[in-house]
Amino acid sequence: DEVLVEIVAEKKRFVRAELVENARPSPDRVEPVCPLFAPGGCGGCQWQHVAMERQQAAKHDIVVRALAARVERVHPLRTPVPDYGWRRRARLGWQQDEHGGVRLGFAKERTHEIVAVNDCAQLVPALAGVLAPLGGWLADMEGVGPKGEARLLCGVDGDVHVSVRARRAATWARAAESLLGQANIAGVLFSDGKHDPVVVGKAAIVLDRAAGASARGPASPGRDASVNDRAEGGAEFWQSADAFAQ
């Protein structure tokens, strides 16, 4: 792209600018698949306006430059998944608005403000289908608090686990029975960070049959829900698609 920008911040080693006009769009620019991918919209994605082939080349170059002093060879980016609809985990926030309603979604770029997301092209359909019923359930809960966090994890069978940090975990757990069965939600975990988590529904789901006995329960709110497999041997480095967001 050849663009006209307005500088909004100057730092010692870089400047930050906002787009004013795209004078000459690049042939690698494409229409984003998500309507929330726009200035002031959802900050969960940064690459949707770039053609996939160009994305992969740029991401590969980022890794090459980062590891140049330590690694002799970086293998090409592995992409054994479709361009969209493949992520099996998500970390979302919720926030009460000025009317007492609840927004469940991702943070706006460079802010802590939550943008409501009822669907997400990045997620597998089973996981994307959880967003609307979970947001509705949170909106109906009393004492939900001004903000919070929910983590979602989808197993290979389409079962979904939801992990929520809540101050009144036991009270919330009793109300969670209504969530089970909605949009493939198989289990819900609540934790207040002080006591043992309370689990409603299934205590474990299968994440990867190829790895053998790999049944895992819902992720605790303080721990990532899954593991990125990465092989590193000698002076070579393997990179996989799930190392990057769109």
Side-chain angles (χ1 to χ4, degrees):
D1 292 346
E2 293 183 11
V3 298
L4 176 66
V5 300
E6 179 184 0
I7 295 176
V8 296
E10 295 190 44
K11 305 296 182 180
K12 185 176 181 180
R13 300 182 64 181
F14 69 92
V15 297
R16 179 173 289 121
E18 293 182 353
L19 178 67
V20 175
E21 179 186 0
N22 190 345
R24 185 175 299 175
S26 165
D28 294 316
R29 176 174 285 273
V30 296
E31 190 68 23
V33 301
C34 177
L36 296 179
F37 185 85
C42 177
C45 296
Q46 292 80 43
W47 291 84
Q48 284 194 20
H49 63 297
V50 182
M52 193 57 61
E53 184 176 346
R54 188 68 187 90
Q55 278 192 42
Q56 294 169 4
K59 293 170 182 177
H60 177 80
D61 184 60
I62 291 171
V63 176
V64 169
R65 287 186 283 110
L67 299 177
R70 302 183 60 184
V71 175
E72 295 178 3
R73 180 188 179 193
V74 176
H75 292 269
L77 185 69
R78 292 178 172 180
T79 55
V81 295
D83 295 344
Y84 292 95
W86 59 271
R87 284 186 172 271
R88 293 194 297 159
R89 56 177 173 153
R91 179 178 176 180
L92 304 103
W94 79 75
Q95 194 172 63
Q96 280 190 326
D97 59 29
E98 61 274 16
H99 305 295
V102 175
R103 296 192 301 268
L104 174 70
F106 300 105
K108 184 187 296 186
E109 185 178 9
R110 295 198 297 272
T111 75
H112 296 293
E113 181 182 347
I114 298 299
V115 176
V117 176
N118 291 321
D119 193 12
C120 179
Q122 297 284 10
L123 306 181
V124 295
L127 210 59
V130 169
L131 300 180
L134 179 59
W137 182 81
L138 287 168
D140 291 338
M141 281 292 296
E142 293 184 7
V144 68
K147 61 182 180 179
E149 179 182 283
R151 300 193 183 196
L152 312 179
L153 177 64
C154 183
V156 294
D157 296 319
D159 288 343
V160 174
H161 264 158
V162 179
S163 176
V164 177
R165 182 180 290 275
R167 286 177 296 178
R168 297 185 298 168
T171 301
W172 282 46
R174 288 191 291 271
E177 293 286 347
S178 62
L179 271 177
L180 297 181
Q182 291 195 55
N184 295 321
I185 296 176
V188 187
L189 177 147
F190 295 94
S191 173
D192 59 9
K194 299 178 181 179
H195 305 91
D196 290 339
V198 179
V199 180
V200 179
K202 282 188 177 181
I205 57 176
V206 179
L207 297 187
D208 186 0
R209 288 195 181 88
S214 57
R216 289 277 303 275
S220 69
R223 180 177 76 232
D224 200 341
S226 63
V227 178
N228 286 333
D229 292 327
R230 189 171 60 187
E232 187 175 359
E236 296 186 352
F237 187 88
W238 294 90
Q239 53 180 332
S240 61
D242 59 358
F244 298 97
Q246 286 283 6

